[in-house]
Amino acid sequence: MALDPEKGLSKAGYVTEEKGVPGVTSNGASSPDTTETSDNTTQSQDGGLLSKLRSLEARMDRKLGVESEAIDRKRPEEKREVSWIEELTMALLWASGTMNTSCFATGFLGWEFGLSLKQSIIVTIFSSIIGGAVTGYCATFGAATGLRQISVSRYSFGWWPNKLIALLNSIQQMGWAAVSCITGGLALTAVSDGRVSLILGIVILAVVALAISLVGLNAILVYERYAWIIFFVIFLIIFGETGRYADNSAPATDTGLTLSGSVLSLLAVVYGSSASWCTMASDYYVHYPANVSRIKVFLMTSFGIAIPTSIGMLAGCVVASGFNNKPEWQDVYENQGLGYLIQDVLHPRGFAKFLLTLLVLSGINTNVISIYSSAISFQQLARPFARIPRFLWTIFCFACILALAVGGRQRLNEYLQNFLSLLGYWCTSYAIILFEEHFIFRKGKFENYNLEAWNDPSQLPLGIGAAIAFCLGVVAWCMGMDETWFIGPLAKLIGASGGDVANEITFVVTALTYAPARYLELKYFGR
């Protein structure tokens, strides 16, 4: 039977007005014969190794709050009202996660692309706001549904296609953490005057982040609420000590289409940096009351990402522009690395080492968030994976991050340019699909989501419409991407070096294909 989205749907996670819907009782709770029970609670108590490990995690949860059932839906009755200080965490969490040496390093890309300081600043601010808004929108689902971000997207991507999203998110977050380990390791190497190798620095940062991530969300939120203050002060000092050497008069090295291509490529990188949080934003809002203002969530998240990201990146823009007036800075940057450059641009020497030591900690902030969310994503790849305790997935992510960071440590900016651009591509498709599903097919109302069905494949969409739109989005990426290892045919048309237009094309293709594909999915499958 074809079902009308206007009248309440009995499948695909829609709320229905009909009685006797399989698996849902009159009060909306799951009946005993459904598979709604959490992935985490479906394991058999057989006394095996996994059962013992889960019992250990449960005991740790009672004593330390390590979240033994992290992916479970947080129901409204389980939540409490939060103080205004805790609400500020909506913004401060991201300030701590983005105001770091990774963003500082990204700020040098404008100079590498041949843009002027003014052009780099404008592109950076604009891109950060757009990317932050994408994440801000996705964040509004957390408190309202009580679900982690990957669980939220089951209502559009369905049970099976959503597993690809979970895998991509895990890889994305581990990649971000690897970038932070590299930049933090470079700073630690400079502080120690080379006595601490880059590999050892990477290991130290990853281990500290692992320890915090193991504890769980409560510890993360408290830590991230205050950590940003230190790095905000440090970046103000960097602006103060390097601003007088900034060269605002030097024009861009390219003109015409080549300049346009450089602008588009930088826009893609910075946008990807801010938008890449959208696939895990809800993870940090599930404990807020369901009636919290969505506008407040959107604004605090959007600007909580855009402003701190811009601060870190603009500091990089300013220092890079100073290469014209201080060529010795450029020599240090290209031959010794980012950590030594930071140490050289600050003075006196002892004070510079002190600030650099504090900046090392900034890499930990990003790692904490990334490790936590990637572990949760892995748990949602399959029901057997959900039986594996979160702390084991956290350790697994830690090992992967070390491998990525050590492997990519020698080519940081190339790593940044390629990796961050790729993040933006698929995050654009993801956010557009969530947006259209919510406003076109759910009429913008959370009452039209059967939240009891979040873990029941039979009551979730098949995900055909989302899979079609997402795959066509992949084709769009390939047509418009501009990476060191591949330049798409459309990107090649923009200047001598190409221009990255993958996000723009992906946006259009996904937006135009998801709505009709989802409509046909509902018409012929009713889910």
Side-chain angles (χ1 to χ4, degrees), residues 143-163:
T145 65
L147 294 171
R148 307 290 180 162
Q149 193 71 60
I150 297 302
S151 297
V152 168
S153 54
R154 287 176 177 177
Y155 288 88
S156 47
F157 284 88
W159 182 263
W160 294 105
N162 196 57
K163 295 183 183 299

Side-chain angles (χ1 to χ4, degrees), residues 2-11 14-18 437-445 447-448 518-519 522-523:
L3 297 176
D4 184 352
E6 295 274 3
K7 297 180 179 178
L9 296 164
S10 60
K11 292 185 179 180
Y14 285 83
V15 170
T16 178
E17 296 176 359
E18 300 177 31
E437 175 68 27
H438 183 70
F439 285 103
I440 296 177
F441 299 98
R442 310 280 177 170
K443 304 306 176 187
K445 298 178 181 179
E447 292 82 359
N448 290 333
R518 181 72 173 110
Y519 174 80
L522 284 168
K523 181 178 180 180

